[in-house]
Amino acid sequence: DEFEVVSLINSHPEFCYIAEAEEDINNDGKKEKVLAGFALGSVHMQGKRRCIGYIDWVVVEPRFQCLGIGTSLVKAVVKTMKSEFQIQRLVADTPAENQPAINFFLTRIGLNEKVPHVYMSRRVTSNRTYSRPSNLNFTIRMLSVDDLHVVYSLGEKLFERFPNLIRNWDQHAVMTQFQTDREFSLVAVVDEQIAGFALGTYIEKPLQKKKFGHLTWLGVHPDFARQGVGRHLVSEFEKLVRSEGCQQLLVDTEEDNTAAISLFNSLNFSHKEKHVYFSTSELSLLLV
C-alpha cells in the first residue's frame, strides 16, 4: 500500500530507482517523460556479518515490458546494495501463480535457488480457544533472558531442515526478537524444561486501519510433539495480538513442512497463499 512504499523510500531511498521513457502523449509531436517502471529494495542483516539484499518490488508498465527495463532496474539496485553494504545474497519473492515474474527472476536475474512458501491467515477470535486438553503438564510464560540460549539451540535443531530465505535463525535473531518484541515471545515449560516457543510481532497498516499479528517462529521439542504444546502456544499468542487490536493472525512456512501446515489447518487457518522465494549468492552477472 501507499504507506509501505513511503516507508521503503524513507528508510532505503538509495535502493529506490525509477525508469523513465519519452512519449508523445498528446500526439502533438512533443515528447514528455513518463514513468516506465520502478524497483524498490532494502537490506537486512542476518546475524552480525551476513548482509542480504531484498528486492521488495519491481514493476514495469505493460507497454514497456520485454525491453530489459526490469533487468536494468534490478541491476541498478543490486550495484548500490553491493557498494554500500557488500551484500552476500539477493532475495526476491512473488506469488506462485505469477509465472511471468517467476520466469523473470529465474532467467533474467539469475535467482536460481527456489523455495516454495505458504502464507496462511484467519481472523483473530474474541472468545474461542483453539487449544485442547492435554495430558502433559506444562505452563506458558513470557520469554526471559535466561531462556535465550536454550530457545536458540532448540530452534537450530528444528529449523535446520527448513531454511528460510527471509528470516535466518541465529543468536542475533533471537536476541533481536527479545529486545524488540519481548511481549510477543512465549515459551512452554515442562518441569523447568523448555518444551517449545512462539515468537512473533504485529504489523500495522495505517491506511487500511488494520493490524495483523504475525507468528514468525513456532517450535516444539520433539520429546513433547503432538501433545498440545504447539496449539496452546498459538492460542496464547493470539491472545497477545488480540490485546493489541489485531484483526488477523498470519503464519507462514515452507510448502514441504507438512507437520506445520497440518497444525495450522487444524487451527482453522485458511486463505492459503502460495509464494515462491528466490535467492542467489552469485551476484557477478548483476554487477556488470
Side-chain angles (χ1 to χ4, degrees), residues 75 78-80 82-83 283-288:
K75 283 186 175 182
V78 173
K79 286 180 181 179
T80 305
K82 189 67 175 177
S83 64
L283 304 176
S284 57
L285 293 179
L286 294 172
L287 299 174
V288 296

Side-chain angles (χ1 to χ4, degrees), residues 12 74 76 80-81 95 109 117 126 149-150 173 189 204 214 223-224 226-227 231 240 244 262 270 276 278 280 287-288:
H12 298 285
V74 172
T80 305
M81 289 177 172
I109 307 302
H117 210 79
S126 57
H149 179 70
V150 178
V189 182
E204 189 170 4
H214 187 190
D223 291 346
F224 305 107
R226 301 185 182 278
Q227 299 184 63
R231 298 183 68 89
L240 295 178
E244 289 290 334
S262 177
S270 56
V276 182
F278 300 91
T280 186
L287 299 174
V288 296

Side-chain angles (χ1 to χ4, degrees), residues 33-46:
K33 288 184 177 180
V34 296
L35 181 68
F38 64 87
L40 308 179
S42 54
V43 167
H44 306 271
M45 295 300 298
Q46 289 190 341

Side-chain angles (χ1 to χ4, degrees), residues 122 128-132 215 218 230-232 234-235 238 260-270:
R122 66 168 167 79
R128 182 177 177 181
T129 177
Y130 287 88
S131 57
R132 295 173 180 170
L215 181 59
L218 177 68
R231 298 183 68 89
H232 279 77
V234 175
S235 184
E238 182 178 22
I261 292 176
S262 177
L263 171 64
F264 295 143
N265 282 331
S266 72
L267 291 167
N268 282 0
F269 282 91
S270 56

